[in-house]
Each structure stands twice: as structure tokens, then as C-alpha cells.
Amino acid sequence: MKKMLMLGVALMASPSAAAQVMPLDEAATNFGARQTYWAADISPSGNQLAILTAGEGTKTYVQVYDLESGENRVVLQGDGKEHEIDWCRFGSEAALICRMAGESKLSSGLLVDWSRLAAISLDGSYSPTMLGQRASRYDSQIRQFDGQILDWLPKENAVLMAREYVPEQGKIGTRLSRTKSGLGVDRIDLSKVDRGQVESPEDAVSSYMTDGQGNVRIRRIPDIDSNGRLTNIVRFDYRRQGSNKWEDLLTFDSSANGFYPIAVDAKTNSVYGLEPLNGREALYRMSLDGSMTKTLVAKNDRVDIGGVVRLGRGLEIIGYGYSDERDHIVYFDPKYEKLQAALGKALPHAPIVDFRGASADGNILLLSASSDANPGELYVLNQTTKEMSPLMQLRPQFQGQPQSSVKPVTYKSRDGADIPAYVTMPKGHDGKPIGAIVMPHGGPSSRDYWGFDWLSQFFAARGYAVIQPNYRGSQGYGEDFQNGNGFQGWRTAVTDIEDAARYLIAEGIADADRIAIVGWSYGGYAALLGAAEAPDLYKAAVAIAPVTDLGQLVDDARGFSNEALVKEMIGRGDQQTAGSPLRRIGDIKAPVLLVHGDMDTNVRIRHSDKMADALKGAGKEVQYLRYEDLDHQLGSSSARMEMLKAADRLLSKTIGQ
């Protein structure tokens, strides 16, 4: 960890020679294992690194490294069952703030997500301390989330936290019953975990935005109908610099488009936001001085602008990003453009370079560098000396072993639309048609990106071609391309996905009789619906945590504040019935593998339970891997390894050699 490398020196070897198909046990172990390191952060001084590390089973450890001595210690662990650790960041040089999350089943049987924030003292001055309001048996409502960190103020040894307040009821014989309700903002001194209120809690407010300097500048107030359900409308209020008075900023209607605030910039006294321009999301800046002057910052004629880039805690916004075939960052300051160019020369085989954090003065940067065939490595860069130190491989089992390359392609849909996609080929492919997998992404409004993907890399390592289509319904390509969403526009999405298979066949990549479809979440839904829509094309379908019944998806939202929005997203009538794999059992010919965790709050496990029963009842070939205590991500290495082996056995039988 002490070894320093100068910018301009290549840090990775050239790709190795063509390799044979990886044995199944080795491939399942290597690709099914959880990523070894993730969620890294650097301390305000730049001398310490905090990182999450995969432990045995579902355990996760929080490790803190001294970058000068190389010493490290574990300061916290999560079992992955009672709770998971999502991330940890330095609140100060001597304290971490970590987010723990999990799923709980209520007495009613309802499964809900929850999360909590905790401060971890690194010098032993206090025990791990929850930052949110302490739960009480008299709480008047379920406490799912206790809040979020708005601002990191390392120079003040403090943070600003949006804090959820839940009043008590039914508490008899005392005047100490809590009455505050809603979302407020507290300033928390991390030396003793002392709290001071900055904004009184209000029930109407759903979130706040600060300027990175400890000043609350914007609040978000969603519209609620008479039944307590969210509508499409959100109001934003703002404060001028140095003022405590809230003023109207704008009202956003998601059905009518408009400016949506995403980040406040103290340097320019403005708020950045996204707003459609010629069918694409463009980046604008709106003044917060009362004039509401709005300036176009960036647009792209092909894709949406994705958002802004901030260097580190409280530091200025330095650019914006967008993604076409690959990710791009455009910097406002030429010095970062020069830095990016220098990093490109130093890391020619790892062109995806991301800033993961910075010291308080911005001089020490934490970077990750990766590519399509390289899962990535962490580096620390000193901007003064131009020296860069490699820290660790994120997936050490692949060190020095580049995986399959990923090629961006574009194919024509049957109605003439251009559909972007990524194709991963097995190493050493001889050019002959082979078994191929169509792998639609989740969503319903997401997209795939160029880079390392463990699932597609597993299938490529086993000798299959993989195509990942960004079908219509995918985000990032403009409003028309998004086509509402993948549920409303399922007919278009499913045919675009099917046309990805036709493209592989036409290009001579895939054998027409050896095509399978694999997907996770919405991708699992698309895999099952695709098997019903094109029963003679797909010879096997693997659906991980899939939606199987659109009507059930609507029922799953009943009683939640987003119930009306989910109904609008899904659609009604025949749209619902014909678009539900559970209602299309008779159309499915291909054998099916279903995989689901029973603590999944994204897609309830009843979707797979009912699908498995219906397929078995109809005499269809189906295997069902049903995992206890796992959520939507199946965060267990052993479960993922078993899933990969089961998928490979199905593919070997149906589209393999």
C-alpha cells in the first residue's frame, strides 16, 4: 500500500492469450462470490480509508486502513440477516457514519424495508450510537427510515441530518410523551454525538437540500390527495443566502415535465436541475437570488444528461455526466480535464475512472479504475506530487486475468428503431454460431452500461454469447424512447428484446436453435413474458426475482402512499392480463428456472411462488430455488453460486454443446 506510481505509467498488463471455457465449479465460485471490497471512502485528512468487506456467508465487515502504516482494523460487522451494512463514510477523522438496513415482517404479515444511521467512534470515545430518534413502544406509526445525512462538515466535526420524528400516543400517566412529527434537520456534533435542531420537523416535507456548506436551501413537499396517496405533483421551496424565510421556488408535475432540482451549488448561489429539451433531459442552473434566472448548462442530442459531479464533502460541483455507449464526464474546470487525460494514459486498460472521495482540501483523491473486462482497483492520488498508489483489487480473484470484452452495438427493431445493446463474447471464440443468451436489464425504467457485469461474464466464461439490450422502456435515451415504462409499453419492450436475439442470429453469432433468455427483477419478468410471446425462439428461461402478475404488483402497493402512482405505471384491463406471465402459462414451452428470496421487498416472493405452482400444475418443466432470509439482491455468495450452477445446467441441457 506504500508503493507509489507516477501518472503516465501503465499499471496493468496487456490482456492474456485466449483461454478455454472455465470449468463450472471455478466459474460459479469466482463470479458468484460477492464482491470482496466496495463502498470505499477516504478520511478528511486523506490518511485513512474505510471500506466494506465481504465476510463468510452473508456477513459484511467495516475495515479502516491507515494509509501511512498499512495497518487495518475491523470496527463493525453486519450478519446480513438481521441487518446489512449499506455504506460507511467518515463524518470526521475520528468518526464513521454507517447505514444499516434490513427487512422486517410485521404482525400483519406485511414485509417492510427499514434503515438506521449510526455513528462509530474510531478513538473509542463512545460506543456505536444511533443517530435517529429512539424507538418507543408508544410510537404512533411504523418507523421505517430514521433519516439521511444532508451535509458532511468535517472541519466542524459535525454533520447535518434530515431526521424523522414520530410522535407517541397512548402513553398514560406522564407528560413526557413525544409530540414532534415529520421530517426535521438536526446538526450532530460527532465528538459527543450531541444534537441541535436546525429545522423543526414538518409532516408535509419529504426531503431537504443543502449547499454543501451546512446551509439548508431547498425543501421538497409532495402533494397528497384526500386519501393520503401521492400524486404527480411536488412543490419546492427555497431560501435566499443568509435568509431563514421559505419562498416558493417551483411546482413540478411529472406528467407535464419541467425543471427538477438535483443539487445546490454554494459557489454560484444556484440550484442545478434537469429539464427536457427536444425530448432529452438537459442540465440547467437556476439562480437562488430571487430572480429565478435559468441558464442552460449542457445538453446532448442523443441521450439524457445524467446529473452533476461533486468532488467530495462540501466541495464544489466540478462537472456533469452522461452515458451513450460509454460513460462520460464533462468538467467545468480545465484542471480536471487534464487530470482525466493523465489518468487515461496511466490506466490504458481501465478507462472507467471514477472519483470516489476526496480529502477535505481536495488534494488527496480516492479513485476507482475498471473496464468491461476488469472489475476494478482502488487508487489514492496526491494532486500535489502527482503520485498514485494502488490500494486493492475489488475482486482479487480476477487479478491479472482479464475477462471477456464487451462491445457496444446497435441493431434495428422490427419497426425500424435503433436499439443500443452490449455484446459479451467468450474468450477465444472461433467465429462460428454458438449458444447465446439474451439478458434484459431490470427496471422497469433503468438501463445497462458498458463495464464489468458479473452475471454476463459468468455466461461468457462458460462459452455463451450474451447480449444486453437497452430496449425501449430504458431510461437515458429520451422521453420517446422510454415509452412510458417497461410495464406500460411491455409489447414494445418484449419485441425489442426478441429482436436482440434475431440480431445475434443474423450476425452469425448465435445458432438460431440455441437461444435462451435470462433476467433479474423486471428482466426476469421480461424473460418469462418473452418465453410466452416467442415460445419457439427461447429454449430456456431463467427468471431471478421476477414480477409475474401485474395485477399482483398493483395489489402489493395497496395501502402504501404510492398506490395511485403504481396503478398509473402498470396500466389496466387487457394491458394487465396479457402482460402477466402468470396468465400466459399455456404459451410457455421452454423449461424455466425461478430464483427468489423470501425477504424481497422490491418484488414479493408470492410472484415466484404462484408462477412455480402454475407451471407445475400445467405440467411444465420448472425448477424453483427459494431462499430464506435473502432479499432482492440475493446477497449470499453460496446462494449465488448455487443459482449459477443451476442456470448453467439448464443451459447446457437446452442450448449447450
Side-chain angles (χ1 to χ4, degrees), residues 194-272:
D194 288 338
R195 301 171 181 86
Q197 196 160 91
V198 175
E199 299 288 335
S200 298
E202 295 190 36
D203 287 318
V205 178
S206 65
S207 63
Y208 297 91
M209 296 173 64
T210 70
D211 61 1
Q213 304 296 315
N215 303 302
V216 181
R217 299 296 304 276
I218 291 177
R219 65 182 183 183
R220 181 182 186 273
I221 302 174
D223 180 60
I224 307 292
D225 66 17
S226 58
N227 295 313
R229 299 186 183 99
L230 294 170
T231 73
N232 291 313
I233 297 172
V234 180
R235 191 182 91 227
F236 290 91
D237 297 337
Y238 83 107
R239 283 175 172 150
R240 304 188 194 200
Q241 275 185 334
S243 171
N244 289 322
K245 179 184 176 183
W246 287 112
E247 302 180 52
D248 292 340
L249 179 64
L250 58 92
T251 298
F252 177 83
D253 185 341
S254 62
S255 64
N257 296 319
F259 181 93
Y260 193 90
I262 58 172
V264 177
D265 184 30
K267 184 178 180 180
T268 59
N269 188 28
S270 63
V271 57
Y272 285 92

Side-chain angles (χ1 to χ4, degrees), residues 476-497:
Y477 298 96
E479 183 178 4
D480 290 343
F481 194 91
Q482 193 158 339
N483 195 30
N485 64 70
F487 289 127
Q488 286 181 0
W490 67 260
R491 289 180 174 86
T492 301
V494 168
T495 54
D496 283 354
I497 293 165

Side-chain angles (χ1 to χ4, degrees), residues 533-613:
E533 286 282 299
D536 295 322
L537 174 65
Y538 300 117
K539 308 305 179 187
V542 178
I544 308 162
V547 171
T548 66
D549 186 352
L550 297 185
Q552 181 66 65
L553 197 60
V554 172
D555 288 343
D556 292 341
R558 187 162 286 124
F560 288 89
S561 61
N562 66 342
E563 178 181 345
L565 298 180
V566 171
K567 285 182 178 179
E568 182 179 335
M569 177 183 72
I570 298 300
R572 296 173 174 83
D574 180 63
Q575 156 74 18
Q576 233 183 62
T577 304
S580 296
L582 186 62
R583 312 300 173 186
R584 304 284 300 276
I585 297 295
D587 296 324
I588 297 175
K589 294 181 181 179
V592 172
L593 170 64
L594 294 169
V595 186
H596 218 132
D598 70 350
M599 298 300 283
D600 190 338
T601 56
N602 291 56
V603 182
R604 309 294 174 172
I605 197 168
R606 60 174 69 103
H607 284 267
S608 287
D609 287 346
K610 291 181 177 180
M611 191 73 188
D613 289 343

